[in-house]
């Protein structure tokens, strides 16, 4: 018995542990699996780059999420991230919204006060509640490069209910690859219609989100993988419908945005799952 135990411990220590330590679930700071950034595992739909000349499609890779920033609109074009159960901890949000000082110095750095009194929320793209592992991780979601002017009833009701549903999927042994963003210009907030707020920050007409649901640790997308995608007006009356009533195909979001989503997935599989409109459970 003793001998078997020690053989077991040798196996655990030298055979399994190195794999475990290289595993993505342990690496909150880098969030990679064999060198792949899981926050962008589905691809870079707009071919964003870190070249500052590309100022309206500027790639920002953070440990917590990846985004394409638009320096003309002063909002992200899209934000992409990965969530598994290890991301969901006990840390409580402290609402410390702040400018993102990693933007090029000559660009305008949006301040939390630019949203004050506008009738629009500072709407998180990567939600605070998806990053509750520790304080540093959570605080990164409060950077203004992760915000858009979002109609309060979109942010606090429709969008929030979908965010909450997503976390129930994580709790039931899935991991999620999520990308969300904006299209068009002009929304309706608490004080009526607006095409922009202070400093010319663009109010999007619509918010969209794509969620790829993969059983934990599988890292495989097949033609039967569940994909939930929604397109929601950025207006106060959007909450007359539930989030699930806004489900559309990825193809229809590609048409509006001109982006190629899921570009790292084989084309034959993209064809199938991007044409489908999810009709799975919604709570
Ligand atoms: Mn929100
Ligand atoms: Mn595609």
């Amino acid at each position: 018995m003793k001998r078997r135990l020690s053989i077991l411990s040798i196996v655990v220590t030298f055979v399994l542990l190195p794999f475990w330590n290289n595993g993505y679930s342990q690496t909150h700071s880098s969030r990679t699996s064999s060198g792949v950034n899981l926050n962008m595992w589905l691809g870079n739909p707009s071919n964003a780059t870190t070249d500052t000349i590309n100022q309206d499609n500027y790639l920002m890779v953070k440990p917590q999420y990846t985004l394409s920033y638009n320096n003309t609109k002063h909002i992200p074009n899209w934000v992409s991230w990965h969530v598994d159960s290890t991301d969901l901890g006990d840390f409580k949000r402290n609402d410390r919204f702040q400018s993102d000082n990693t933007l090029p110095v000559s660009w305008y750095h949006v301040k939390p006060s630019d949203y004050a009194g506008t009738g629009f929320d500072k709407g998180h793209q990567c939600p605070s509640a998806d990053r509750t592992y520790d304080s540093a991780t959570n605080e990164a979601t409060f950077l203004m490069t992760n915000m858009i002017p979002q109609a309060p009833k979109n942010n606090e009701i429709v969008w929030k209910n979908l965010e909450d549903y997503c976390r129930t999927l994580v709790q039931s042994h899935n991991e999620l690859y999520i990308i969300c963003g904006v299209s068009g210009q002009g929304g309706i907030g608490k004080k009526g219609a607006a095409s922009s707020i202070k400093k010319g920050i663009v109010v999007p007409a619509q918010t969209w989100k794509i969620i790829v649901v993969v059983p934990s640790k599988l890292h495989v997308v097949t033609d039967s993988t569940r994909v939930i995608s929604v397109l929601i007006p950025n207006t106060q009356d959007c909450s007359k419908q539930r989030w699930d009533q806004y489900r559309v195909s990825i193809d229809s979001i590609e048409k509006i945005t001109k982006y190629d989503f899921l570009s790292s997935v084989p084309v034959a599989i993209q064809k199938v799952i991007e044409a489908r409109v999810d009709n799975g459970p919604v709570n």
Side-chain angles (χ1 to χ4, degrees), residues 254 260-263 270 274:
E254 287 189 337
D260 178 13
F261 298 110
L262 279 52
S263 59
Q270 283 186 57
E274 291 184 355

Side-chain angles (χ1 to χ4, degrees), residues 93 122-125 127 150 155-156 159-160 163:
R93 60 188 277 167
K122 298 184 287 294
H124 281 76
Q125 300 297 279
Q150 203 168 358
N155 177 39
E156 296 162 27
W159 198 250
K160 179 186 185 292
E163 290 173 341

Side-chain angles (χ1 to χ4, degrees), residues 107-149:
W107 295 8
Y108 181 65
H109 293 193
V110 173
K111 295 195 284 284
S113 59
D114 294 335
Y115 282 61
T118 64
F120 289 90
D121 284 358
K122 298 184 287 294
H124 281 76
Q125 300 297 279
C126 177
S128 161
D130 279 9
R131 292 288 182 259
T132 49
Y133 173 74
D134 63 14
S135 63
T137 305
N138 185 258
E139 280 172 17
T141 69
F142 285 88
L143 292 172
M144 294 306 293
T145 47
N146 185 39
M147 302 300 155
I148 60 163

